[in-house]
Amino acid sequence: MLVLITYDVNTENAAGKTRLRKVAKQCVNYGRRVQNSVFECLLDNAQSITLKAILADIIDPEKDSLRIYYLGNKYQTKIEHIGVDRGIAADQTLIL
């Protein structure tokens, strides 16, 4: 299923900047960045639960915000994009 993850991490101090880097790194491990703090991740249910737990442990719920949107398996009809696209789609093959 396609999961859209957005976050807003308070970076007013060094701890916040560290949290921001950790959140971004975990999201990169599971999906692709489509905007600065927005990631598209193709996950199964177990991966989704794992990533949610990891991110919840990283953020400070008093200062940061994490939003997770579950778009399901038929996400192609739910996404409309206008403008420059960053990279390849999450469901396309990447050959290195």
Side-chain angles (χ1 to χ4, degrees):
M1 79 178 122
L2 182 68
V3 178
L4 186 71
I5 299 174
T6 68
Y7 54 86
D8 187 14
V9 176
N10 183 316
T11 57
E12 292 177 356
N13 57 37
K17 292 176 184 175
T18 299
R19 288 194 311 275
L20 177 65
R21 284 190 300 276
K22 287 180 179 180
V23 168
K25 183 177 179 181
Q26 288 302 319
C27 289
V28 165
N29 289 340
Y30 285 87
R32 77 171 184 132
R33 185 187 301 262
V34 292
Q35 292 187 355
N36 287 337
S37 296
V38 181
F39 284 81
E40 290 178 350
C41 305
L42 284 175
L43 308 172
D44 61 29
N45 194 44
Q47 291 171 317
S48 177
I49 292 168
T50 300
L51 181 56
K52 179 181 173 183
I54 291 169
L55 296 176
D57 284 343
I58 294 171
I59 68 162
D60 179 346
E62 304 274 326
K63 299 178 183 177
D64 307 328
S65 174
L66 176 65
R67 296 178 67 91
I68 302 171
Y69 299 88
Y70 301 95
L71 299 178
N73 292 322
K74 297 183 181 182
Y75 58 89
Q76 292 90 346
T77 61
K78 299 175 185 174
I79 299 172
E80 183 175 339
H81 180 93
I82 300 171
V84 177
D85 196 7
R86 297 179 76 170
I88 61 170
D91 61 347
Q92 289 181 338
T93 304
L94 176 63
I95 301 173
L96 300 174

